[in-house]
Amino acid sequence: MSNRPIYLDCHATTPVDERVLAAMLPYFTEKFGNPASISHVYGWEAEAAVKQTREILAAAINASPEEIVITSGATEANNLAIKGIAEAYFQKGQHIITVATEHKAVLDPCNYLKTLGFDITVLPVQKDGLIDLNELEKAIRPETILVSVMAANNEIGVLQPLSAIGEICRDRNIIFHTDAAQAIGKIPLDVQAQKIDLMSLTAHKVYGPKGIGALYVRRRNPRVQIAPQQHGGGHERGMRSGTLYTPQIVGFGKAVEIALAEQATENQRITALRLKLWEQLSQIPGVHLNGHPTQRLAGNLSISVEGVDGAALSLGLQPIMAVSSGSACNSTSTAPSHVLTALGHPSQLAYASVRFGIGRFNTPEEIDIIAKHAIATIQSLRKQASLV
Ligand SMILES: *Cc1c(COP(=O)(O)O)cnc(C)c1O
């Protein structure tokens, strides 16, 4: 393990916490029952475990347990929310509003709906990555059925003003969906105070297992309807069929429980690490912070570096650190991501971008190693460039 690069890519995924793994293990072997089996103890104990996770998730966002629909992750939750609303409310209207910096798991379902005749408004963001609330208000039409704005961005860490957006939507009877994949366990979320109607969650960004997530679907004030996108045995009150994956669900609950218990202290510790890294990196000229300086996730540091080739920088950093240039989901190309482009970065300019995602298992010593190596790599690449 020790000669592997330092992991600093916590927006892509995180390791499963040992405490989470320990909670999951009995549910693979001994307590393997189907939560839908109602006539024996194997089913009952699995059902009890699923119920406990529903309660943890509901408490985490101030919802009730029956409003939690288990999915395979945030991609599925986003698809279920967006297509499910489109299908259930198309007679009311066929206009949806989203934002240029959303994850592809929001933008692509919206693009798909466009091919079916829906009208999609993609709001721009300001230089700091935040949406302009006036732009949102102006974009709303009588036929708008859904506004989808993420809680925390996966590339630049920016936190959108959920309460203000919720207020605008509720006043106009428009359903508000938020992709909170990066936010759950890291920032306070409250579907009542923030007037959120649908919220996508996932476990693997918060030290839980991959392949498990949830969609919060509001049941009252107002009652939100979604059309199922996967039909079958009628699980999850008909909204998402398929046998529940008990071990993953148990891990999801444990992961969120731990994250909430440690949220305040961890945010302080991780913010200090991020500031320590930025303090060192910002010493060299031509290094810019992407996204709002304070309205951001504790562990996110996204930078653009002038005068350096993206692919060369990526190669130079690789032996020492696991970081991402742009979004991990489309990092096969070194072209600037749709998120950085939306911030107004000139794509012709020679610059590289790096996303550092600091998390639970990173230490101050690691941050010093990272900073030292990143600075040395940038300076050496610039020197080479000036010699040609
Ligand atoms: C990771 C992520 C997703 C996708 O979640 P999965 O559970 O991996 O499907 C969606 N949205 C955002 C903002 C993410 O960070």
Side-chain angles (χ1 to χ4, degrees):
M1 283 293 273
S2 58
N3 58 358
R4 301 177 79 204
I6 297 167
Y7 191 80
L8 220 69
D9 201 10
C10 289
H11 303 298
T13 196
T14 55
V16 171
D17 190 297
E18 298 282 355
R19 295 167 287 179
V20 170
L21 179 64
M24 290 170 67
L25 285 176
Y27 291 90
F28 285 103
T29 49
E30 184 195 341
K31 303 179 180 181
F32 61 87
N34 185 331
S37 298
I38 53 169
S39 45
H40 51 70
V41 67
Y42 297 87
W44 302 334
E45 64 195 6
E47 165 57 18
V50 170
K51 182 166 173 274
Q52 196 187 354
T53 288
R54 269 190 228 287
E55 285 165 359
I56 293 168
L57 296 179
I61 63 170
N62 195 19
S64 51
E66 65 275 18
E67 294 175 310
I68 303 295
V69 176
I70 303 287
T71 66
S72 63
T75 299
E76 188 192 339
N78 286 340
N79 272 270
L80 179 57
I82 294 166
K83 295 183 206 164
I85 288 296
E87 206 179 317
Y89 292 85
F90 74 97
Q91 281 169 321
K92 184 178 174 227
Q94 300 185 19
H95 178 234
I96 293 172
I97 299 172
T98 187
V99 182
T101 50
E102 291 293 309
H103 194 275
K104 292 288 182 187
V106 164
L107 293 174
D108 284 359
C110 287
N111 285 331
Y112 167 73
L113 289 173
K114 216 157 139 183
T115 69
L116 301 184
F118 283 81
D119 205 356
I120 312 293
T121 297
V122 181
L123 293 175
V125 292
Q126 306 170 108
K127 275 198 165 57
D128 59 10
L130 290 169
I131 67 161
D132 179 340
L133 294 169
N134 293 322
E135 293 280 332
L136 170 62
E137 285 190 299
K138 275 193 277 174
I140 292 171
R141 310 177 196 158
E143 63 273 19
T144 307
I145 52 172
L146 178 69
V147 168
S148 181
V149 182
M150 72 202 317
N153 188 273
N154 48 297
E155 284 188 40
I156 54 174
V158 164
L159 310 178
Q160 296 291 356
L162 297 185
S163 298
I165 299 166
E167 195 79 46
I168 290 170
C169 293
R170 186 64 57 81
D171 277 352
R172 293 161 180 77
N173 273 319
I174 298 166
I175 295 163
F176 174 31
H177 165 248
T178 190
D179 174 353
Q182 296 285 347
I184 180 74
K186 310 213 180 93
I187 59 166
L189 293 168
D190 184 326
V191 295
Q192 306 308 343
Q194 297 172 314
K195 300 187 165 65
I196 294 161
D197 300 311
L198 297 158
M199 182 188 284
S200 301
L201 305 173
T202 191
H204 76 98
K205 310 278 172 73
V206 64
Y207 312 94
K210 295 169 186 59
I212 196 75
L215 179 66
Y216 155 76
V217 183
R218 177 175 288 281
R219 287 240 286 179
R220 54 188 79 81
N221 309 315
R223 184 181 181 87
V224 173
Q225 312 275 356
I226 54 167
Q229 302 299 304
Q230 176 161 305
H231 302 86
H235 306 79
E236 301 302 275
R237 293 179 295 116
M239 283 183 269
R240 201 276 190 179
S241 287
T243 299
L244 291 174
Y245 193 5
T246 316
Q248 307 300 94
I249 293 168
V250 169
F252 190 8
K254 190 69 187 173
V256 169
E257 187 179 77
I258 294 170
L260 288 185
E262 299 178 353
Q263 185 170 278
T265 50
E266 271 297 90
N267 274 347
Q268 255 188 336
R269 190 186 69 85
I270 291 172
T271 299
L273 293 182
R274 188 235 307 161
L275 294 175
K276 184 180 172 69
L277 181 56
W278 177 234
E279 199 180 296
Q280 297 179 64
L281 294 178
S282 58
Q283 297 293 320
I284 44 173
V287 174
H288 307 281
L289 176 72
N290 297 318
H292 196 281
T294 54
Q295 283 284 106
R296 63 191 303 131
L297 289 169
N300 178 281
L301 184 68
S302 168
I303 60 167
S304 289
V305 187
E306 285 174 29
V308 174
D309 175 65
L313 181 58
S314 181
L315 270 175
L317 299 179
Q318 262 168 35
I320 305 295
M321 66 194 86
V323 293
S324 165
S325 21
S327 165
C329 308
N330 48 22
S331 63
T332 43
S333 86
T334 50
S337 73
H338 72 280
V339 175
L340 296 180
T341 307
L343 296 184
H345 279 64
S347 56
Q348 313 88 315
L349 234 162
Y351 78 89
S353 65
V354 185
R355 175 186 71 178
F356 301 94
I358 305 164
R360 183 175 291 168
F361 302 111
N362 293 119
T363 64
E365 293 72 33
E366 286 179 335
I367 295 300
D368 285 334
I369 296 170
I370 299 273
K372 210 169 135 209
H373 185 75
I375 291 169
T377 307
I378 292 166
Q379 284 173 339
S380 127
L381 287 173
R382 280 182 177 164
K383 203 162 165 189
Q384 284 170 35
S386 71
L387 294 177
V388 291

